[in-house]
Amino acid sequence: GNIRVFCRVRPLLSSEQQGRVGIVATDVPNQVQVSSSGGKARNYLFDKVFHAASLQDDVFSEVEPIIRSAMDGSNVCIFAYGQTGTGKTFTMVGFEGSQDCPGIVPRTLQQLFFDASLDTTVEYSFKLSMLEVYRGCLRDLLAPRQQQQSSSKRQEILMAGSGSTEIENLTEIPIKSASQARYLYRKGVRSRSTCWTTANETSSRSHCLVRINITCNYGKQSHASKLWLVDLGGSERFFKTQAQGQTLEEGKAINASLSALGDVISALQRKQPHIPYSRNSKLTQILRDCLGKDSKALMLVHVSPKEEDLGETTCSLGFASRARAIHLGRDISPVRSYSLFSPFIVLNSFLLWISRAQGTREQLAWPTFWRR
Ligand code: ADP
Ligand code: MG
């Protein structure tokens, strides 16, 4: 497994059309160039770059293969990183409005059931959990409302002997269909935003994590894996702003957890024997078993196109470039190994090809998705 890093540049919003753009494409594929009016230009290369004109579809088609490797038994973590307002939530959740453009999470929920239906010799089951990490506290987004407010059931992070991470008391709901999954997911998203009085403000200072536990049974064997989809809190440096009180505390918590994540990543990069999955950071503890050897991580770094944001943009691109240099271990061999020409591989490839040719996936009911 390893860490792959994609970069997405947000388009200028209609309210910003006047601003000067500080980030552009170059002739080299998957490279971005950062330049300010006076300064020297710097280039950054990633595994994939999505420029301002890219669509949710473009992003998801590059993410799809890693979703498939979660179904094949790898622990996978996909996380959106970047300054507030650069489009992390847009990429992960999507846009709720007149135009429907669902993001990675709703598309993944759809894709899991679609892929599972193609392979009838293998039986998949999925369980959904959602949680928020805010100033070091966990909040279970799928727990019944009364339970969320009472403090009797605290979520604790436990380390199992096998090195896997468990979260005590976290609600896990078996999902049987894509429509049920969407219903639950929407409920979790609403639960996140209704808890805080100033929803947008606070959501940028918390991490939102969606976990799908995947179990796969084939014959007498089975394997289990986890897929984490994470919308991280904004990475801006709060200390530079004149934040005070509550805002400052929130900023410190975010800075601490993102820097703990950075430490884990750089220790992995340098192949250090000790990886600092900090006891003080809930985020790195939760993601621990998805950041080690035998797991796959995808970081989606988001940046603003505006020249005035160049300071933050450079920080985010630097963090992401360091992450990109990592190889977490060897690629794990596929759990199931079939002959390339086994009848169902051939049949499934054919079915997949037909359904794509006919655009079946596009018909899978996006329009009703985001409307209540
Ligand atoms: P973040 O979660 O990083 O704070 P948001 O996802 O809330 O940022 O995005 C900020 C604003 O920019 C939102 O109004 C969002 O709809 C818009 N936006 C972000 N990315 C895109 C995009 N690729 N295309 C169109 N609008 C976008
Ligand atoms: Mg957000």
Side-chain angles (χ1 to χ4, degrees), residues 10-83:
R10 175 170 67 70
L12 276 174
L13 304 176
S14 47
S15 56
E16 305 172 330
Q17 292 299 343
Q18 317 304 330
R20 193 180 170 285
V21 168
I23 185 161
V24 292
T26 66
D27 294 338
V28 180
N30 298 319
Q31 193 177 56
V32 288
Q33 183 170 79
V34 173
S35 66
S36 60
S37 8
K40 169 159 143 270
R42 286 185 71 172
N43 295 331
Y44 296 86
L45 194 64
F46 294 104
D47 296 303
K48 190 80 206 168
V49 171
F50 300 100
H51 287 288
S54 61
L55 304 173
Q56 301 283 61
D57 267 336
D58 304 331
V59 176
F60 192 67
S61 62
E62 296 293 329
V63 169
E64 229 183 299
I66 196 170
I67 307 280
R68 212 163 298 127
S69 62
M71 294 187 76
D72 289 340
S74 299
N75 283 342
V76 167
C77 176
I78 300 178
F79 51 97
Y81 179 90
Q83 183 192 358

Side-chain angles (χ1 to χ4, degrees), residues 339-359:
S339 151
L340 201 55
F341 298 105
S342 82
F344 87 76
I345 294 267
V346 171
L347 180 63
N348 282 337
S349 312
F350 182 58
L351 286 175
L352 189 64
W353 177 75
I354 293 211
S355 66
R356 292 211 169 151
Q358 293 180 339

Side-chain angles (χ1 to χ4, degrees), residues 147 150-154 169:
Q147 198 176 309
S150 82
S151 53
S152 58
K153 274 204 166 176
R154 281 264 159 258
N169 294 326

Side-chain angles (χ1 to χ4, degrees), residues 14-294:
S14 47
S15 56
E16 305 172 330
Q17 292 299 343
Q18 317 304 330
R20 193 180 170 285
V21 168
I23 185 161
V24 292
T26 66
D27 294 338
V28 180
N30 298 319
Q31 193 177 56
V32 288
Q33 183 170 79
V34 173
S35 66
S36 60
S37 8
K40 169 159 143 270
R42 286 185 71 172
N43 295 331
Y44 296 86
L45 194 64
F46 294 104
D47 296 303
K48 190 80 206 168
V49 171
F50 300 100
H51 287 288
S54 61
L55 304 173
Q56 301 283 61
D57 267 336
D58 304 331
V59 176
F60 192 67
S61 62
E62 296 293 329
V63 169
E64 229 183 299
I66 196 170
I67 307 280
R68 212 163 298 127
S69 62
M71 294 187 76
D72 289 340
S74 299
N75 283 342
V76 167
C77 176
I78 300 178
F79 51 97
Y81 179 90
Q83 183 192 358
T84 298
T86 50
K88 297 181 295 298
T89 304
F90 184 87
T91 298
M92 298 308 284
V93 184
F95 184 65
E96 201 167 352
S98 52
Q99 273 168 306
D100 286 335
C101 37
I104 290 175
V105 184
R107 282 169 196 260
T108 298
L109 293 173
Q110 190 95 31
Q111 190 68 33
L112 291 174
F113 286 97
F114 182 78
D115 284 352
S117 72
L118 292 178
D119 193 341
T120 50
T121 61
V122 176
E123 199 188 312
Y124 283 100
S125 55
F126 306 109
K127 283 189 205 155
L128 181 72
S129 305
M130 289 176 74
L131 75 152
E132 184 170 42
V133 180
Y134 175 65
R135 289 175 65 178
C137 298
L138 308 191
R139 204 161 69 88
D140 185 345
L141 294 175
L142 291 180
R145 178 83 34 112
Q146 320 83 288
Q147 198 176 309
Q148 282 187 22
Q149 276 150 8
S150 82
S151 53
S152 58
K153 274 204 166 176
R154 281 264 159 258
Q155 282 78 45
E156 288 297 332
I157 302 166
L158 306 173
M159 286 301 147
S162 56
S164 75
T165 314
E166 288 306 327
I167 303 171
E168 201 180 33
N169 294 326
L170 180 66
T171 308
E172 280 189 334
I173 304 183
I175 46 177
K176 302 285 177 208
S177 67
S179 58
Q180 184 208 2
R182 288 196 300 265
Y183 168 80
L184 288 170
Y185 173 60
R186 229 163 18 193
K187 193 172 146 208
V189 169
R190 270 205 299 275
S191 166
R192 181 188 193 196
S193 55
T194 53
C195 182
W196 315 113
T197 41
T198 51
N200 283 335
E201 276 293 284
T202 314
S203 79
S204 70
R205 288 172 212 139
S206 66
H207 310 294
C208 182
L209 298 90
V210 174
R211 183 183 75 188
I212 301 152
N213 278 350
I214 302 173
T215 314
C216 172
N217 291 300
Y218 45 104
K220 289 200 175 76
Q221 286 172 293
S222 72
H223 62 74
S225 54
K226 290 180 200 172
L227 170 60
W228 280 106
L229 304 166
V230 184
D231 184 357
L232 290 172
S235 62
E236 53 273 11
R237 289 153 301 164
F238 286 85
F239 298 116
K240 278 181 60 186
T241 66
Q242 272 104 47
Q244 284 178 349
Q246 169 103 346
T247 316
L248 178 66
E249 289 308 311
E250 289 168 339
K252 277 185 188 163
I254 288 290
N255 282 339
S257 60
L258 293 177
S259 78
L261 183 64
D263 291 344
V264 167
I265 286 176
S266 76
L268 288 165
Q269 180 184 13
R270 284 190 245 112
K271 299 198 167 64
Q272 285 175 353
H274 173 71
I275 307 296
Y277 297 106
S278 166
R279 295 193 125 264
N280 302 322
S281 165
K282 293 279 193 292
L283 184 68
T284 51
Q285 283 177 38
I286 293 170
L287 298 180
R288 184 176 179 147
D289 54 1
C290 295
L291 284 176
K293 199 162 72 97
D294 296 350

